[in-house]
Amino acid sequence: MHTEKEFEHTIERELLQHSGYHQSNPAEYDPETALFPTEIINFIQTTQPKQWQRLATNKDPQKILIDSLTKELKSRGMLDVLRNGFKCYGKTLRVAYFQPNTAMNPDTLAQYQKNRLTITRQVTIKTGRIPDILLSLNGLPIATIELKNPLTQQTYLNAIHQYKQDRDPKDPLFVFKQRCLVHFALDTEEVWMTTKLAGENTYFLPFNKGHNHGAGNPPGENGEYRTSYFWREVLQKDSLLDILARFLHIKIEEIKTPTATGINYQKKETLIFPRYHQLNVVRQLIAHTKKYKAGHNYLIQHSAGSGKSNSIAWLAHRLANLHDNQDEKIFHTVVVITDRTILDQQLQNTIYQFDHKAGVVQKIDENTQQLATALNDGVPIIISTIQKFPFINKAIETLAKKGKTIDITTKDKRFAIIVDEAHSSQSGETANELRQILNKDGIESAIAAQILADETEEDLTDQAKQELLKEQIARTKQPNLSYFAFTATPKQKTLLVFDEPGENGQSPFHLYTMRQAIEEGYIKDVLANYTCYERYYELVQLSQNNPDLPRRQAAKAIARFIEFHPHNIAQKVEIIIEHFRNHTRHKIGGKAKAMVVTRSREHAVRYKREFDKYIKAKGYSDIKSLVAFSGSITLDELPDETFTEVNMNGGIKSQEIADKFTSDAYQVLLVANKFQTGFDQPLLHTMFVDKRLDGVQAVQTLSRLNRTTTGKEDTFVLDFVNKPEDIYQAFKPYYEETPVGETADPQQLNDLSYQLYQWQLFSLDDVNQWCEIWFRPKTSLTGGEHQKLNSLLDPIVDKYQELAEPEQEQFKNQLTSFRNLYLFLAQIIPYQDSELEKLYAYGRFLLKKLPKSKNAPQIDLSRDIEIKYYRLEKISEGKIDLKSGTAEPLTGATAVGTRQPDREVPLSQLIDSLNERFGTNFTLADQLFFEQITETAISKDDIKQAAQVNSKENFAPVLEKHLEALFIERMDGNEKIFMEVMNNEEFKAVVFEKLLASIYESLKGENL
């Protein structure tokens, strides 16, 4: 009743009774050809009798047919043969018929009905192995399934292991592309898949529906398994044939491999089987469109890592061929709006595999005349940027002068517009041009109205503006147009414009969350290791005057002074370079790269100059940077020198930066408003942020780190500007409503350590005994360490199992929290506490030995990092976790027109407000305390003499020796600030830095 065989029998029974399958005899399988020859011959005899009769005049026609088929399967692959047949003695024979786009040809439908999907259990293949289930179409194997049953302590992980260890990729049944197209590993909880077996290197992907916006599957309906959808829905006959006909395709990538002499280009083939959410979104959109026709705006909110390019290709192909129940074509042209140059080639390659026709897809890569011509000619799928549409009228005039008359009419025509990024290219200027030029019925006007932002009345209240916006959106919806807008980060207006409700009755129409993408391992969690530096400074007023200045203008001027102060940038550059060398460069097999996000072109130039200066001074040869910014710029102190990307990068052209950064020659990319969106570099591991990031911009910028690649186990962010709560607020609307821990506090490590020992499951001696073996030098290993390590943990596991379930969960949570917190903080703070390091190592492996709780995830996609190799010097905030709280509703512009005129304030008051803003809490008394310290130091002859004959760096240790005595002299009446300086090393360092600057500059000024 609870065995794997019973699970297997259930699937077989439901496929046979409800999903249109037939039972196949394992004895009819030919292990040499990995085919069912009898099934194949019967299908061809039934569906193509004339072709068979011609072939039958030859000797042994069945052998001839199977030999020809086998050769073409080897040369062209299973997928191509299924779709286009194979040649045998000069004649094309079909091995499958797929459902036509219309019902206008009853003969084609009749042929489609003759397809036979079969299920074969326990078939013996050439290598002697026996897959649980083999699915075939008309005698050609298309999928294998390995089943496991958690009730017998076996899960899909065991099935994956079986594929990797016990299924020979060279067996005819498993040869890539030539026979089976996909392999599934599943149990009653989850489904995983791969399209290529490669031993230990086999890569399985989850094929799950998602649960509570995360990974996994929801409970089955009506007492079904969680995975019943797989055989009831996905493997159903029409569904599987649809996947074979319109989803599966070969993706060809050009892999660039850096070499000593340049870039080596290689082609890589990947067989793409849709993930569940991709299959689901395309089918839901097609079903809804087929029922309700044109005139609807759909928002597809899919996270990065969702495979959006493939989803767009599948959707474009389906929409271009979609007919309603009356066999009328729903859309005459599909327009794909994108700024991504890579998408057009991918679309063309993918759709060609489905249709085998040229000219189905046309990229508008020349001018607007090309766009006008394509619209006029009714090209099925057009790919263009939005910027070309405002110039269509001018293009038509130009073509008329050349003798080509074009009249783009949209009467009785319907268009599908697929928007690659729902809120890209939405500038008001473009919208104005579109309204002026395209104020008529047609494709131009519709795209202008729906995609580009409209200005609203500035003098209305927020409520009135919202109602006005609703009215505008309702009025601009065009009955002959449907929009399919993809984005990971919709804005408020995006949700209002693309408003077709989804399953929950609201936009978006379809959702694949950031949380699910992270938990399924398609993207990295860029907030998992996030630290924010707090900047402290004191502004010293040198002038005796206290003029009234325009507040905002003065604030900007002071901020600029601080930002561009040489010491400010120099200190940050030192942190960045040393962090990269000590931490980042060892990641991803020594290939990890970093990005520095600056707030302006001038910042980028100054960073680059300081970067090169620091590297040269230190003599480093293992780090080299590139800079990216637009145009040219000069610096105030160097008015005769012009800085550009090209001259700062040693002659590298702008379009070459991405490729050069991929090579081993460069490790860090300094950017100013470039490469922050759409830049796909999987080796990017660390980001240094020196720019205010808000909302969508924060998500898009930081998401440059989230791409996965072999060996990439984590990411890291050092932020000089933003606070954790700001980043949390930016990401939360695009993540999901799930729990989160507190902001990491270093003291929590000691608290957690104490709590863990209080359980008395293990002692300090246990930890030391285990660590004595674990940290044993490799040269001293005897071979019995693995057994000994396990034997030391086993008694602890036994004690753990004696605890009640709530206590087990509490202990495990505490140990997990300690592991995660130490994993993060140990990279930032130079801990000298070996007890914490040992407890981390011990606890990390103890966690692996503890039995899984009932609610624990069955697979852990995260990877641990060796802590001892990577250290930073300090941290102000810990990691940012999105798993709790609720997202604030997205809103549009507020308080429009309520900005107050700039008012004048005394300079000293402005300094106070800036001190407060940037973290210092000095009162007037505290300010006086520091001023007195400064005055006393300046008056001392030995300090004065040291400043006059030394550089600032050499003067620093002299001043440091005197400071404590100076503080003690002024202690009376200043106890609070005195204790803070004496007991808080970080605070003391900040104070010393500011006093050093003030005292040294004053004394040097006297000497001038």
Side-chain angles (χ1 to χ4, degrees):
M1 181 182 297
H2 67 286
T3 64
E4 180 184 311
K5 288 295 181 185
E6 183 59 32
F7 184 37
E8 187 178 320
H9 178 68
T10 298
I11 296 176
E12 179 189 45
R13 182 178 65 249
E14 296 200 4
L15 287 175
L16 294 174
Q17 294 179 2
H18 306 295
S19 296
Y21 281 69
H22 300 270
Q23 182 76 58
S24 180
N25 184 357
E28 294 181 355
Y29 177 78
D30 178 14
E32 294 296 327
T33 62
L35 298 170
F36 291 87
T38 303
E39 279 276 342
I40 296 169
I41 299 299
N42 288 341
F43 177 77
I44 291 176
Q45 289 175 338
T46 302
T47 59
Q48 302 150 86
K50 292 182 180 179
Q51 288 90 329
W52 173 254
Q53 286 174 8
R54 292 193 191 97
L55 188 62
T57 59
N58 297 284
K59 182 181 179 181
D60 203 354
Q62 295 189 10
K63 184 178 184 305
I64 292 172
L65 186 147
I66 296 301
D67 285 349
S68 297
L69 173 59
T70 303
K71 290 175 182 177
E72 295 226 20
L73 286 171
K74 184 176 181 179
S75 62
R76 292 167 46 209
M78 175 66 76
L79 191 57
D80 192 30
V81 170
L82 282 173
R83 288 174 177 164
N84 302 296
F86 69 101
K87 290 278 189 177
C88 182
Y89 277 28
K91 299 295 181 182
T92 298
L93 298 175
R94 305 299 298 263
V95 292
Y97 290 93
F98 295 107
Q99 192 166 25
N101 295 316
T102 73
M104 297 174 70
N105 188 338
D107 292 338
T108 309
L109 284 173
Q111 293 290 67
Y112 172 73
Q113 297 299 333
K114 293 176 183 177
N115 287 309
R116 276 174 55 89
L117 276 174
T118 57
I119 175 173
T120 313
R121 291 175 60 184
Q122 305 297 319
V123 65
T124 302
I125 61 178
K126 184 176 180 179
T127 51
R129 302 300 183 184
I130 305 175
D132 289 337
I133 291 177
L134 174 61
L135 303 181
S136 305
L137 173 59
N138 306 322
L140 282 78
I142 55 175
T144 65
I145 303 175
E146 294 294 345
L147 306 171
K148 299 301 171 186
N149 182 12
L151 294 179
T152 57
Q153 302 299 307
Q154 294 265 302
T155 71
Y156 73 90
L157 291 172
N158 299 97
I160 289 176
H161 178 81
Q162 194 171 10
Y163 271 119
K164 291 182 175 182
Q165 297 289 333
D166 300 333
R167 301 293 181 258
D168 187 352
K170 296 180 181 179
D171 187 286
L173 184 66
F174 299 130
V175 176
F176 178 58
K177 295 196 307 180
Q178 296 182 25
R179 292 299 185 274
C180 281
L181 299 169
V182 63
H183 310 278
F184 294 101
L186 70 140
D187 57 22
T188 59
E189 311 299 314
E190 296 195 38
V191 182
W192 288 64
M193 66 173 181
T194 187
T195 57
K196 182 178 182 180
L197 294 185
E200 280 296 329
N201 294 323
T202 303
Y203 186 61
F204 274 84
L205 303 173
F207 189 79
N208 298 311
K209 299 176 75 172
H211 182 42
N212 289 334
H213 298 306
N217 288 303
E221 299 177 358
N222 303 319
E224 298 172 356
Y225 298 111
R226 287 180 184 265
T227 51
S228 290
Y229 70 93
F230 175 62
W231 55 88
R232 284 175 167 260
E233 174 191 334
V234 179
L235 296 185
Q236 189 271 339
K237 180 179 178 180
D238 290 334
S239 169
L240 187 55
L241 288 173
D242 179 56
I243 292 171
L244 293 172
R246 297 182 175 93
F247 285 92
L248 267 169
H249 67 274
I250 302 291
K251 179 182 178 182
I252 302 175
E253 296 177 282
E254 191 173 62
I255 305 300
K256 300 177 183 178
T257 306
T259 65
T261 57
I263 303 291
N264 184 31
Y265 295 90
Q266 293 179 318
K267 294 211 170 178
K268 175 187 176 184
E269 286 189 333
T270 306
L271 180 57
I272 303 295
F273 192 97
R275 289 147 62 183
Y276 182 84
H277 74 271
Q278 294 174 317
L279 186 66
N280 186 251
V281 68
V282 173
R283 286 180 168 174
Q284 283 194 21
L285 287 168
I286 293 303
H288 193 276
T289 301
K290 188 166 186 176
K291 182 176 181 180
Y292 296 105
K293 311 296 190 303
H296 298 269
N297 294 353
Y298 303 92
L299 180 64
I300 301 94
Q301 185 180 341
H302 281 192
S303 165
S306 67
K308 181 174 67 170
S309 296
N310 284 327
S311 298
I312 288 176
W314 288 318
L315 180 61
H317 175 250
R318 295 299 296 274
L319 291 173
N321 294 280
L322 186 61
H323 292 70
D324 62 19
N325 293 328
Q326 288 72 45
D327 291 327
E328 182 180 355
K329 198 168 187 181
I330 294 180
F331 299 114
H332 297 84
T333 294
V334 177
V335 181
V336 180
I337 302 296
T338 182
D339 291 323
R340 290 191 293 156
T341 55
I342 193 174
L343 184 61
D344 68 278
Q345 190 60 51
Q346 186 172 336
L347 254 174
Q348 292 182 60
N349 293 340
T350 300
I351 291 174
Y352 181 78
Q353 293 182 44
F354 299 139
D355 286 341
H356 255 288
K357 297 177 185 175
V360 175
V361 180
Q362 184 173 351
K363 175 191 176 186
I364 309 303
D365 56 358
E366 297 174 7
N367 50 39
T368 310
Q369 299 173 38
Q370 185 189 19
L371 173 59
T373 303
L375 287 169
N376 180 71
D377 295 345
V379 173
I381 300 174
I382 298 172
I383 306 175
S384 177
T385 62
I386 189 62
Q387 286 80 12
K388 285 189 171 64
F389 281 87
F391 304 102
I392 283 183
N393 281 349
K394 185 175 181 181
I396 292 173
E397 292 173 5
T398 303
L399 288 168
K401 292 177 182 178
K402 296 178 180 179
K404 184 173 182 179
T405 302
I406 288 183
D407 181 18
I408 300 176
T409 175
T410 58
K411 185 178 180 182
D412 299 326
K413 287 187 178 180
R414 293 169 298 277
F415 298 85
I417 296 94
I418 299 176
V419 186
D420 183 22
E421 181 51 57
H423 49 69
S424 65
S425 305
Q426 295 185 16
S427 66
E429 289 300 317
T430 307
N432 284 336
E433 291 178 16
L434 280 167
R435 276 191 294 272
Q436 293 170 11
I437 298 171
L438 308 176
N439 187 22
K440 62 178 183 177
D441 188 25
I443 179 67
E444 310 99 302
S445 177
I447 290 184
Q450 295 295 328
I451 298 180
L452 302 179
D454 288 325
E455 291 79 18
T456 57
E457 294 293 331
E458 290 286 330
D459 56 353
L460 295 179
T461 65
D462 289 347
Q463 294 82 359
K465 281 189 292 183
Q466 187 173 5
E467 291 301 314
L468 175 63
L469 185 57
K470 289 180 181 178
E471 290 293 323
Q472 289 176 323
I473 293 170
R475 186 167 59 251
T476 57
K477 192 176 287 187
Q478 304 294 321
N480 66 324
L481 302 174
S482 281
Y483 296 85
F484 304 83
F486 287 77
T487 184
T489 53
K491 298 178 181 178
Q492 183 207 31
K493 188 167 185 179
T494 314
L495 292 163
L496 289 172
V497 171
F498 304 102
D499 58 353
E500 193 63 42
E503 293 180 349
N504 66 350
Q506 298 177 336
S507 179
F509 183 81
H510 198 273
L511 177 64
Y512 178 77
T513 67
M514 185 189 297
R515 177 191 170 189
Q516 186 172 349
I518 291 170
E519 291 184 359
E520 290 185 338
Y522 289 109
I523 59 174
K524 295 296 180 184
D525 182 359
V526 300
L527 305 187
N529 296 294
Y530 200 110
T531 184
C532 300
Y533 273 66
E534 190 74 27
R535 183 177 62 183
Y536 296 91
Y537 64 84
E538 179 181 4
L539 297 174
V540 179
Q541 187 175 340
L542 301 178
S543 171
Q544 296 297 318
N545 299 323
N546 192 24
D548 287 349
L549 301 172
R551 186 178 186 277
R552 280 193 290 267
Q553 292 180 27
K556 288 179 180 179
I558 293 175
R560 176 179 171 81
F561 170 80
I562 297 161
E563 288 302 325
F564 291 129
H565 194 283
H567 183 69
N568 179 38
I569 293 180
Q571 187 180 41
K572 291 176 182 177
V573 165
E574 180 180 359
I575 292 171
I576 290 169
I577 292 177
E578 296 304 333
H579 176 274
F580 181 89
R581 297 187 71 252
N582 294 326
H583 174 73
T584 303
R585 66 171 176 154
H586 305 288
K587 299 299 182 103
I588 321 180
K591 294 181 176 294
K593 298 179 181 295
M595 176 182 284
V596 181
V597 179
T598 70
R599 66 193 68 189
S600 70
R601 296 185 304 160
E602 183 172 352
H603 279 86
V605 169
R606 293 183 182 277
Y607 259 106
K608 174 64 174 169
R609 287 169 56 80
E610 190 63 38
F611 229 81
D612 294 346
K613 176 183 174 183
Y614 185 88
I615 290 171
K616 182 178 180 180
K618 290 289 186 177
Y620 293 155
S621 60
D622 56 358
I623 180 172
K624 196 173 180 182
S625 70
L626 289 167
V627 67
F629 61 92
S630 301
S632 61
I633 187 174
T634 60
L635 301 180
D636 292 342
E637 66 272 25
L638 298 169
D640 297 329
E641 187 170 356
T642 300
F643 298 94
T644 66
E645 283 180 337
V646 176
N647 64 33
M648 296 200 81
N649 289 329
I652 296 172
K653 297 178 181 177
S654 297
Q655 60 269 29
E656 298 173 340
I657 290 177
D659 284 342
K660 292 293 184 182
F661 187 53
T662 300
S663 72
D664 292 338
Y666 298 94
Q667 293 73 39
V668 180
L669 181 61
L670 308 158
V671 303
N673 296 319
K674 293 186 75 173
F675 293 99
Q676 288 175 234
T677 61
F679 180 52
D680 189 357
Q681 174 49 266
L683 296 178
L684 200 56
H685 173 278
T686 297
M687 183 174 287
F688 303 95
V689 180
D690 195 16
K691 175 182 179 178
R692 175 71 180 171
L693 297 175
D694 295 299
V696 171
Q697 185 191 45
V699 178
Q700 291 180 335
T701 299
L702 295 170
S703 293
R704 296 311 98 211
L705 297 178
N706 67 19
R707 301 306 193 261
T708 60
T709 190
T710 303
K712 186 174 181 178
E713 297 181 346
D714 63 357
T715 63
F716 202 89
V717 179
L718 283 175
D719 195 328
F720 295 108
V721 178
N722 305 282
K723 295 183 182 298
E725 54 268 28
D726 299 328
I727 299 301
Y728 173 91
Q729 291 296 334
F731 270 76
K732 185 61 179 175
Y734 310 113
Y735 181 73
E736 205 279 313
E737 304 168 41
T738 43
V740 66
E742 296 282 333
T743 301
D745 178 2
Q747 181 56 36
Q748 289 179 337
L749 283 174
N750 295 323
D751 296 339
L752 285 168
S753 172
Y754 173 80
Q755 293 170 22
L756 288 170
Y757 281 111
Q758 289 301 301
W759 288 95
Q760 299 183 27
L761 295 180
F762 57 82
S763 65
L764 184 59
D765 287 339
D766 292 325
V767 174
N768 288 333
Q769 190 176 0
W770 190 91
C771 288
E772 178 66 29
I773 300 170
W774 174 249
F775 291 110
R776 187 176 294 171
K778 290 184 178 180
T779 55
S780 304
L781 299 181
T782 63
E785 285 79 6
H786 182 271
Q787 179 177 333
K788 184 62 176 175
L789 289 170
N790 274 275
S791 67
L792 290 173
L793 292 175
D794 286 335
I796 316 304
V797 175
D798 290 341
K799 291 181 183 179
Y800 169 85
Q801 291 180 312
E802 294 173 3
L803 298 173
E805 278 192 18
E807 293 176 325
Q808 289 182 0
E809 194 69 17
Q810 186 180 0
F811 172 78
K812 185 181 284 189
N813 286 340
Q814 289 178 356
L815 187 55
T816 302
S817 296
F818 177 85
R819 180 199 65 182
N820 294 342
L821 187 60
Y822 189 83
L823 177 65
F824 174 71
L825 289 177
Q827 298 176 72
I828 310 301
I829 299 175
Y831 282 115
Q832 302 300 318
D833 191 338
S834 62
E835 301 302 324
L836 292 177
E837 181 76 36
K838 289 188 290 185
L839 181 57
Y840 167 75
Y842 181 83
R844 187 161 66 99
F845 285 89
L846 177 58
L847 273 172
K848 295 178 183 292
K849 289 278 287 185
L850 296 179
K852 283 188 165 92
S853 60
K854 293 180 180 178
N855 295 324
Q858 293 187 329
I859 185 171
D860 182 8
L861 295 174
S862 64
R863 296 292 186 270
D864 289 333
I865 306 166
E866 291 298 331
I867 297 301
K868 55 188 176 183
Y869 297 129
Y870 313 108
R871 293 291 186 273
L872 285 178
E873 296 181 357
K874 60 181 178 179
I875 181 179
S876 61
E877 296 286 350
K879 79 170 191 177
I880 304 168
D881 198 330
L882 297 171
K883 293 186 176 178
S884 78
T886 57
E888 293 294 325
L890 295 177
T891 59
T894 58
V896 174
T898 59
R899 175 168 172 162
Q900 299 299 314
D902 206 354
R903 57 189 176 87
E904 295 188 344
V905 296
L907 181 59
S908 58
Q909 181 181 333
L910 182 60
I911 292 173
D912 291 342
S913 66
L914 286 173
N915 282 337
E916 179 180 357
R917 174 184 173 188
F918 286 100
T920 49
N921 295 312
F922 300 146
T923 64
L924 291 174
D926 296 329
Q927 184 172 333
L928 181 61
F929 171 75
F930 290 120
E931 289 174 356
Q932 291 171 342
I933 293 290
T934 303
E935 291 172 1
T936 303
I938 291 173
S939 67
K940 291 185 176 293
D941 291 337
D942 50 350
I943 295 178
K944 184 183 298 185
Q945 183 178 358
Q948 291 172 350
V949 298
N950 283 289
S951 66
K952 185 177 178 181
E953 289 72 17
N954 293 335
F955 173 69
V958 177
L959 179 64
E960 191 172 13
K961 291 179 181 178
H962 289 82
L963 268 187
E964 187 168 328
L966 293 174
F967 286 143
I968 293 173
E969 288 179 14
R970 297 288 177 180
M971 182 177 68
D972 291 343
N974 299 289
E975 288 83 4
K976 184 177 180 181
I977 192 72
F978 174 81
M979 293 304 295
E980 186 72 9
V981 171
M982 291 294 104
N983 296 326
N984 187 331
E985 288 297 321
E986 184 177 356
F987 185 85
K988 182 178 181 180
V990 173
V991 168
F992 174 74
E993 177 186 335
K994 304 309 175 188
L995 290 177
L996 171 65
S998 177
I999 294 169
Y1000 183 77
E1001 289 168 10
S1002 297
L1003 290 172
K1004 293 294 284 187
E1006 290 180 1
N1007 197 41
L1008 294 176

